[in-house]
Amino acid sequence: MYQEASNTNLLMLLHTAVYPFIAALIISFVAGKLSRTLPPLGYLGGFVVGLSLIHSGLSFPPNQAIDYYLVTVFIGAVILLSLTPIKTPVATNGVLFLLSGLSFFFLLNPVLKHAGFIISVSWAVVSALIVVFYYLVSPKTQNQRHKYEAHSLSHYSLPIGLMIVAGSAAPVVSIGGSLLIGQLLGACGAALFAYITVGYFTKNTPNNSVTPALLILGGLITQSHVLADLPLGVMLMVSVSLFVTPLILLFSNKISHSIIGQIIVSSVISAYSLWLVWPESSLY
């Protein structure tokens, strides 16, 4: 019995962390050789690998709510490739809002269909506004990146922040909501870690790299509430923690400040959330 449990845990670790990390590592490296704007496709590819392993019934065209992450990945790639050539802020924000709203609508409509079309659209609009607000805050930190050396983690402050949020939210969602969504959060964090690792050692400077990850992470957080009954308060606290890194970077140029601040806030929120969602009966 113990051997079977050990094998199950090992398989879960491989699907949640190891395979997404390796896939993202390879794709990020190859994409970086082709163009400096393409490495983020690495963490998208790594997440898809994790998604296909964790969600064994993955299908396209989508059949279940989880299947729509393939649509989110596609929309994320479109955003990644389309935002760079757009120079007008109004047009950029408009495209980002429309595509983000579309992504969230596809993810949430299957589980909110019983509540009506207006409710699904409302959730999508609010989620898209949060993404746009994150984007508006984040570029102010990007303007100071020229002060850093190319070989610096400072270029990856925002992806590191999202990675920490994903990692800290994974156990909360796994225990209090859905093991499947918790595993997907782990796969997202592992894929981001691989992307950051490749970018650091290849000295690639990212550009508009976090928006696709924000769509995936935001989708997982919202689905953990509407699909897996995670308390609304927990979802809101995790959502607020997304802004810790960009807000710190508005006042400090040091990567250590943003990482330490994000770890502290995410750890406190994770610990408090675990206390809120921990089951009364033993997990075993």
Side-chain angles (χ1 to χ4, degrees), residues 175-257:
I175 293 173
S178 165
L179 178 60
L180 188 149
I181 296 179
Q183 286 182 272
L184 291 177
L185 282 165
C188 179
L192 281 170
F193 181 48
Y195 160 69
I196 294 164
T197 301
V198 170
Y200 175 76
F201 285 107
T202 59
K203 302 182 181 181
N204 179 65
T205 304
N207 189 20
N208 296 327
S209 63
V210 297
T211 305
L214 194 61
L215 292 185
I216 294 173
L217 190 51
L220 291 169
I221 293 171
T222 50
Q223 274 198 344
S224 67
H225 170 64
V226 300
L227 182 62
D229 294 326
L230 194 73
L232 180 61
V234 172
M235 187 201 78
L236 291 175
M237 286 190 293
V238 175
S239 299
V240 169
S241 71
L242 292 170
F243 293 89
V244 171
T245 292
L247 290 177
I248 289 177
L249 290 173
L250 288 177
F251 304 98
S252 174
N253 294 331
K254 292 186 177 180
I255 179 68
S256 58
H257 291 172

Side-chain angles (χ1 to χ4, degrees), residues 163-179:
M163 179 188 70
I164 294 171
V165 172
S168 63
V172 177
V173 176
S174 297
I175 293 173
S178 165
L179 178 60

Side-chain angles (χ1 to χ4, degrees), residues 26-157:
I26 296 172
I27 299 173
S28 294
F29 180 78
V30 173
K33 293 297 183 181
L34 299 175
S35 170
R36 63 180 293 271
T37 62
L38 295 181
L41 294 178
Y43 69 71
L44 291 177
F47 177 76
V48 170
V49 169
L51 176 65
S52 63
L53 294 172
I54 295 167
H55 177 50
S56 56
L58 183 67
S59 64
F60 191 85
N63 184 41
Q64 303 177 54
I66 301 297
D67 297 335
Y68 282 95
Y69 281 104
L70 291 175
V71 178
T72 294
V73 168
F74 174 76
I75 292 175
V78 171
I79 290 176
L80 180 70
L81 298 175
S82 64
L83 288 189
T84 301
I86 298 176
K87 304 301 181 182
T88 307
V90 174
T92 299
N93 296 332
V95 170
L96 181 59
F97 174 77
L98 290 175
L99 292 178
S100 298
L102 190 63
S103 172
F104 283 107
F105 178 79
F106 279 125
L107 285 175
L108 298 174
N109 187 55
V111 292
L112 289 173
K113 197 174 292 185
H114 65 281
F117 179 78
I118 300 300
I119 298 297
S120 297
V121 171
S122 299
W123 270 90
V125 168
V126 171
S127 300
L129 286 174
I130 293 174
V131 171
V132 172
F133 180 66
Y134 185 98
Y135 183 81
L136 289 173
V137 175
S138 300
K140 297 175 183 178
T141 69
Q142 304 278 352
N143 292 336
Q144 301 180 31
R145 298 286 168 87
H146 66 278
K147 296 180 180 179
Y148 301 112
E149 297 178 358
H151 195 61
S152 173
L153 276 178
S154 299
H155 297 293
Y156 291 89
S157 301

